[in-house]
Amino acid sequence: MKDQNSYKQILKATSLFSGVQLLNILFSLIKSKFAAILIGSIGMGILGLFNSTLNLASVVSKLGLDISSVKEIVFAKQNISSEKVDSIIYILKKLIWISGLIGSAFIIIFSTYLSKLIFDSQDYFFSFIWVAIALFFRQITLSNLAILQGQRRLVQLAKANVYASGFSLIISILLFYYLGVDGIVPFILLSAIFGFLFSHYFNNYKASISKKLTIKETIIEGKDMIKLGLTLSVTSVFSILTVYLLQIYVKNVGGMSEVGFYNVGFLIINTYVGMIFNAMSKDYFPRLSAVSNDFKKANEIIVKQALVGVLLVTPIIIVFLSFASTLIKLFFSVEFLAIIGLVSFGLLGIVFKAASWSMGYYFIAKGDSQVYIKTAIGFNTLLLVMSIIGYNYDGLRGIGISFMVYYMIHFFVIYVIMKLRYQFSFNKEFLVTFIVCIC
């Protein structure tokens, strides 16, 4: 009965966000279809490079506060008081404003350099200024969503995501139809603004504080949150930087169209399938954080989450592998059939990712920064090297094969670390299910 209740809790939270993610997937598929037709592979390449720049700048400037604050809010809500929760939220908002302004300023200052580095031309420098403004709105959005997640206000969090995704779809169709490739930067900016507006509307939480803090006092009070956040930020930077460097490498070797194909391939692998991980994480991370000091309970949660993850991704992978060419032509265009090899092999690695992802989250929940940083740097370096070698030998399909092998290695290494460091183990139920799903 206890196990059934645990699985029900996981599935209830996951189903809430899976419903949201299904809508997001639908919106994203329609958006991708129109983008593939209206701006083509070259436009998708340009969009991918701008988004990667925005993602990298966001990861650096937010200092991991959107994740570390969730852990702090959850802990304070369960173990301390509502006054402490209000204090954390106030500090988070102020820190995010400061970091967002600094991040945006850096992009503006280096806009000409970024234009030349990424596009071999200074013509895009003004575009990066608009991207800098989009960064600021995205940072504020992340703080609003973190507050909703930390307080377990999952319905409001889901609504904020759905409305933002829906408006992003409408904006993309209008801009790409009327402006083509020139609509890419306005699309990024307006998406960020609407994302902020919806997150602000659904958050609407007013923190009650006894006194306002100066910038210096805010940093001092938020030092624990910043410390954990910096750890998460460093590892996230390496993850985004790996993708960024690989995109630039593919552009220099294969051209902008190849970058477009690469982006669409990983849009399917990491966005469509990855939305399941995103759905699960909304409830999983707070639950795991709450029992991070009791590893027996944590072990149970990790195994159950891994089992649910594997069972959820397997049918999606099977359907895509069975109808790959049809689905790509349906959701994109005939031009993008070049990504079949990349996506097919890449998706096979997702089964292993479902298991290793569930284990790896414990490093964050536990605050085990040493292991988290070392594994993140090591694995991202390995992924970049393997992907470059794979691309040189077999083009886009070689990247897909590298991705699959990488996640096999990732799964076994993370398991060994968890076993040696925390005496973690999978039960028979998971192992049998995992093997069946792989087969």
Side-chain angles (χ1 to χ4, degrees):
M1 181 64 70
K2 182 181 176 183
D3 281 348
Q4 286 181 347
N5 290 335
S6 297
Y7 285 121
K8 283 179 182 178
Q9 183 181 358
I10 295 171
L11 287 171
K12 183 180 178 181
T14 303
S15 61
L16 168 64
F17 279 93
S18 290
V20 173
Q21 299 306 332
L22 283 173
L23 278 175
N24 285 340
I25 288 172
L26 178 61
F27 293 152
S28 189
L29 285 172
I30 298 171
K31 187 195 308 178
S32 299
K33 178 68 175 180
F34 276 93
I37 295 170
L38 298 174
I39 63 177
S41 59
I42 292 177
M44 295 294 277
I46 295 171
L47 176 61
L49 287 168
F50 273 125
N51 273 331
S52 291
T53 303
L54 183 59
N55 290 338
L56 181 59
S58 176
V59 168
V60 173
S61 60
K62 73 184 180 182
L63 305 175
L65 291 169
D66 59 320
I67 301 178
S68 64
S69 61
V70 172
K71 178 178 170 61
E72 294 287 329
I73 292 170
V74 169
F75 184 83
K77 189 173 183 179
Q78 288 197 349
N79 301 288
I80 307 178
S81 65
S82 59
E83 288 78 11
K84 181 61 177 177
V85 172
D86 286 351
S87 175
I88 292 169
I89 290 173
Y90 171 77
I91 292 169
L92 168 65
K93 285 184 173 181
K94 194 156 187 176
L95 287 173
I96 285 289
W97 267 81
I98 296 168
S99 64
L101 288 171
I102 293 173
S104 299
F106 266 93
I107 292 183
I108 292 171
I109 292 169
F110 293 103
S111 57
T112 302
Y113 175 76
L114 287 169
S115 177
K116 195 163 184 180
L117 172 68
I118 298 167
F119 296 105
D120 300 320
S121 167
Q122 294 185 0
D123 295 342
Y124 291 88
F125 82 95
F126 200 66
S127 297
F128 280 103
I129 294 176
W130 290 114
V131 169
I133 298 171
L135 171 66
F136 178 75
F137 283 106
R138 178 184 281 198
Q139 301 301 81
I140 307 301
T141 300
L142 290 173
S143 69
N144 287 331
L145 297 179
I147 292 167
L148 290 172
Q149 186 179 357
Q151 294 183 312
R152 306 294 294 277
R153 294 164 62 195
L154 300 183
V155 174
Q156 291 91 334
L157 180 59
K159 287 180 178 179
N161 281 315
V162 167
Y163 280 100
S165 184
F167 269 77
S168 176
L169 166 62
I170 296 169
I171 293 166
S172 69
I173 294 173
L174 292 174
L175 290 174
F176 294 158
Y177 180 80
Y178 286 106
L179 300 178
V181 175
D182 291 335
I184 290 174
V185 173
F187 160 67
I188 292 172
L189 176 60
L190 289 175
S191 293
I193 292 173
F194 276 104
F196 158 72
L197 291 174
F198 287 119
S199 70
H200 180 72
Y201 174 78
F202 286 107
N203 176 23
N204 63 45
Y205 183 82
K206 305 296 182 185
S208 177
I209 53 169
S210 56
K211 67 168 186 173
K212 292 186 177 181
L213 303 176
T214 64
I215 293 176
K216 184 178 179 181
E217 289 171 335
T218 301
I219 294 172
I220 292 172
E221 289 291 324
K223 66 179 185 299
D224 291 336
M225 192 159 51
I226 294 171
K227 184 179 178 182
L228 175 59
L230 281 172
T231 301
L232 301 174
S233 180
V234 168
T235 54
S236 297
V237 165
F238 275 92
S239 181
I240 299 295
L241 189 60
T242 297
V243 175
Y244 201 40
L245 292 175
L246 185 57
Q247 284 180 320
I248 293 174
Y249 181 83
V250 170
K251 178 185 76 72
N252 291 336
V253 175
M256 191 63 77
S257 289
E258 285 281 280
V259 179
F261 292 138
Y262 167 86
N263 287 332
V264 169
F266 276 92
L267 182 68
I268 295 170
I269 295 170
N270 286 333
T271 304
Y272 299 156
V273 179
M275 281 181 178
I276 289 179
F277 297 114
N278 185 43
M280 291 191 294
S281 70
K282 301 302 180 187
D283 177 67
Y284 178 49
F285 181 50
R287 279 192 300 111
L288 192 58
S289 297
V291 298
S292 60
N293 292 324
D294 185 343
F295 188 71
K296 186 178 179 181
K297 290 182 180 178
N299 197 137
E300 291 178 8
I301 290 174
I302 293 168
V303 173
K304 289 171 183 174
Q305 192 73 46
L307 180 62
V308 171
V310 169
L311 289 172
L312 286 175
V313 299
T314 298
I316 297 174
I317 295 169
I318 291 172
V319 168
F320 190 89
L321 291 178
S322 302
F323 305 101
S325 60
T326 302
L327 291 172
I328 289 173
K329 285 188 285 187
L330 176 65
F331 296 136
F332 299 95
S333 67
V334 176
E335 180 186 10
F336 290 89
L337 288 175
I339 67 172
I340 286 180
L342 165 64
V343 176
S344 296
F345 283 104
L347 281 174
L348 292 173
I350 294 295
V351 181
F352 292 91
K353 180 180 179 179
S356 63
W357 174 88
S358 300
M359 291 186 288
Y361 247 97
Y362 185 69
F363 299 146
I364 308 174
K366 182 69 175 174
D368 198 341
S369 57
Q370 271 196 330
V371 174
Y372 190 64
I373 290 175
K374 287 177 182 177
T375 53
I377 293 173
F379 278 124
N380 280 292
T381 302
L382 177 64
L383 178 59
L384 179 61
V385 173
M386 289 176 65
S387 297
I388 290 173
I389 293 172
Y391 185 69
N392 285 335
Y393 276 94
D394 199 15
L396 294 170
R397 184 171 64 175
I399 295 179
I401 294 171
S402 298
F403 188 84
M404 177 186 69
V405 175
Y406 164 77
Y407 267 109
M408 290 178 178
I409 297 170
H410 189 270
F411 168 74
F412 288 112
V413 173
I414 293 295
Y415 177 74
V416 169
I417 293 172
M418 290 287 288
K419 182 75 172 176
L420 295 176
R421 198 170 182 87
Y422 308 112
Q423 289 76 53
F424 172 82
S425 62
F426 284 117
N427 57 27
K428 184 179 178 180
E429 180 186 14
F430 171 82
L431 292 174
V432 171
T433 305
F434 186 55
I435 292 168
V436 170
C437 288
I438 291 171
C439 292

